[in-house]
Amino acid sequence: MNLFETVKYGVSNREAAICYGVEVNRSGMALCPFHNDRHPSLLVADDHYHCFACGEHGDVIDFVAKLFDLSLYDAARKLSADFHLSPDKPPGAAALNNRRKNTQAQQLRKKERLCFSALTDYLWILREWKVQYAPRSPDEEQFDARFVEACHELDHVEYLLDEMMIGGSQERVELVDSDSVRKIQSRLTQIKEEHDNV
């Protein structure tokens, strides 16, 4: 096992973040150290991190490299030294199997990322449509369907995004499996197909 594998299986992102002074709450969110963050927007999972605001993401080695402005190799060496890991003495088989399992928490995080992505994509489309297809004069009798959709859906999508960002874990679980999110994902697929056929 090489140094990178040893570090990835020996140290979780959460352990590294906490060790290096990033306060992670119980739901795995923290203030992002990579931009001026005022509300926790950094998801710190065991196997990765992702900032919903600035877009930074990666594994534990990427995190330390970015945090301390190091090369990936130097970041792996720092983690190895700080967590007393050695490539000559890799983690046991049980530890490796536990890291590789796709736990329910990991599946939920994946669903949350997909949900967040769908909501933000749809929000940007709606905002664009509200401007692009707005009536050109107050006398117009027929509004473009995209403008109407934007007017009807914008507040709802913004509300869902707020729930995703500041809601508790139970609210996020309910949201990612909700009919509202499924309808938005379906609508995004439809918009993409319409765009591809033009």
Side-chain angles (χ1 to χ4, degrees):
M1 186 176 282
N2 67 31
L3 174 65
F4 290 96
E5 291 171 329
T6 302
V7 168
K8 284 182 186 179
Y9 289 120
V11 183
S12 73
N13 264 47
R14 189 180 183 98
E15 291 167 333
I18 292 169
C19 175
Y20 298 129
V22 177
E23 292 183 30
V24 182
N25 66 25
R26 285 187 296 173
S27 60
M29 299 298 290
L31 292 174
C32 180
F34 308 125
H35 74 280
N36 188 15
D37 201 3
R38 288 180 283 170
H39 303 288
S41 59
L42 181 72
L43 173 66
V44 183
D46 286 339
D47 61 344
H48 71 282
Y49 70 95
H50 178 78
C51 180
F52 293 109
C54 71
E56 282 293 332
H57 66 276
D59 61 22
V60 66
I61 297 171
D62 298 319
F63 182 81
V64 172
K66 179 81 174 167
L67 191 63
F68 294 102
D69 195 25
L70 300 170
S71 70
L72 293 177
Y73 180 72
D74 289 339
R77 286 181 48 201
K78 177 173 180 50
L79 283 161
S80 178
D82 292 347
F83 285 87
H84 310 290
L85 301 172
S86 168
D88 300 328
K89 188 178 177 188
L96 290 176
N97 285 335
N98 285 339
R99 296 273 179 179
R100 290 180 181 145
K101 283 182 184 172
N102 195 12
T103 64
Q104 285 183 331
Q106 288 170 325
Q107 290 172 359
L108 175 59
R109 284 190 292 273
K110 182 178 178 181
K111 284 182 176 181
E112 285 177 345
R113 284 192 308 276
L114 291 171
C115 175
F116 185 82
S117 177
L119 291 171
T120 54
D121 288 352
Y122 192 46
L123 179 69
W124 287 112
I125 289 169
L126 293 174
R127 285 181 175 168
E128 185 178 302
W129 284 358
K130 191 168 183 181
V131 173
Q132 186 176 357
Y133 299 106
R136 300 293 172 225
S137 73
D139 299 330
E140 279 188 41
E141 293 181 18
Q142 190 70 17
F143 297 131
D144 189 291
R146 291 165 286 199
F147 173 75
V148 174
E149 181 176 346
C151 291
H152 282 273
E153 297 295 330
L154 261 172
D155 287 343
H156 180 64
V157 174
E158 287 172 347
Y159 168 78
L160 294 175
L161 270 168
D162 285 346
E163 282 291 306
M164 190 74 200
M165 293 300 292
I166 59 175
S169 57
Q170 184 60 39
E171 286 136 334
R172 289 196 313 272
V173 167
E174 291 170 5
L175 180 61
V176 297
D177 289 324
S178 69
D179 286 338
S180 293
V181 171
R182 278 193 287 277
K183 286 176 185 173
I184 289 170
Q185 290 166 331
S186 176
R187 180 65 178 125
L188 285 171
T189 302
Q190 184 183 15
I191 292 167
K192 183 182 182 321
E193 287 171 358
E194 289 169 0
H195 183 268
D196 291 345
N197 290 333
V198 171

